[in-house]
Amino acid sequence: MYYTTLYMNAPNLDLKRFELALRQRVHRKRLCILIIDPQSLSRQMAIEVLSHDYEVVTCASSEQALHYYLHHAPDIVFLDIDNPGMNGLDILEHIAVLDAEAYVILLTARERPDHHRLRKCVQGHVVKPFTRKKLAQHLYGFGLAYPNRGTRLA
């Protein structure tokens, strides 16, 4: 199973903790949105746009984000694919294997990002600089894809 490979690459992985986080996800009062972007300006903009209505967590590195994801199973991930170190596609691969209900939106400077190899997990992309309207469109899409979890949308 891929969990074994992932465990070897992430020695702090606690599968029982992750399974608990997945179960707790459905009982949250507010949607949890994880923003993974090495640019502090993008992270700050996302906080300003989303934090009034949602629980927003930002991470500058993919490693930090993967750790957060494994412990909290956020509802939605906005992921910059051009992260240093473990790039966005690497973390996307980990998320796709671990979480069948992952809802990931790519943040990118490219009009057509190359994410074809992991389409099952990627729900779309937002070209930077993003606006409140662009992010809201993807939050609406989340509500359609997961009506039970989407009831916590603002």
Side-chain angles (χ1 to χ4, degrees):
M1 183 175 241
Y2 187 76
Y3 282 159
T4 306
T5 305
L6 183 61
Y7 186 80
M8 300 299 259
N9 293 333
N12 295 325
L13 176 61
D14 180 349
L15 289 178
K16 288 183 182 179
R17 176 66 187 105
F18 180 62
E19 290 167 1
L20 176 64
L22 288 174
R23 286 192 302 275
Q24 290 175 337
R25 173 163 65 190
V26 297
H27 300 293
R28 286 191 188 115
K29 301 269 188 249
R30 293 171 29 148
L31 287 179
C32 178
I33 300 173
L34 175 60
I35 310 291
I36 308 168
D37 196 316
Q39 298 175 352
S40 61
L41 179 61
S42 292
R43 292 192 312 271
Q44 188 58 40
M45 285 178 58
I47 288 171
E48 289 176 18
V49 168
L50 299 170
S51 65
H52 297 290
D53 299 314
Y54 308 102
E55 178 185 336
V56 178
V57 176
T58 64
C59 295
S61 74
S62 294
E63 292 81 3
Q64 178 187 26
L66 183 58
H67 182 267
Y68 181 85
Y69 197 97
L70 293 172
H71 286 83
H72 301 280
D75 296 289
I76 302 170
V77 176
F78 286 95
L79 171 64
D80 187 308
I81 57 175
D82 295 322
N83 287 321
M86 183 187 341
N87 71 34
L89 293 178
D90 292 337
I91 192 170
L92 187 60
E93 188 172 344
H94 286 299
I95 290 171
V97 167
L98 284 171
D99 188 354
E101 293 187 356
Y103 195 90
V104 179
I105 307 299
L106 299 180
L107 298 174
T108 179
R110 299 179 217 144
E111 193 61 42
R112 293 181 184 242
D114 179 28
H115 61 274
H116 62 278
R117 69 181 179 146
L118 294 167
R119 261 187 223 158
K120 65 181 179 183
C121 182
V122 175
Q123 304 300 320
H125 71 279
V126 176
V127 178
K128 291 181 182 181
F130 53 82
T131 63
R132 177 185 302 265
K133 183 177 178 180
K134 287 180 186 177
L135 296 180
Q137 289 171 339
H138 290 287
L139 294 173
Y140 178 75
F142 173 81
L144 294 177
Y146 296 102
N148 293 337
R149 287 167 55 197
T151 57
R152 296 171 282 144
L153 287 170

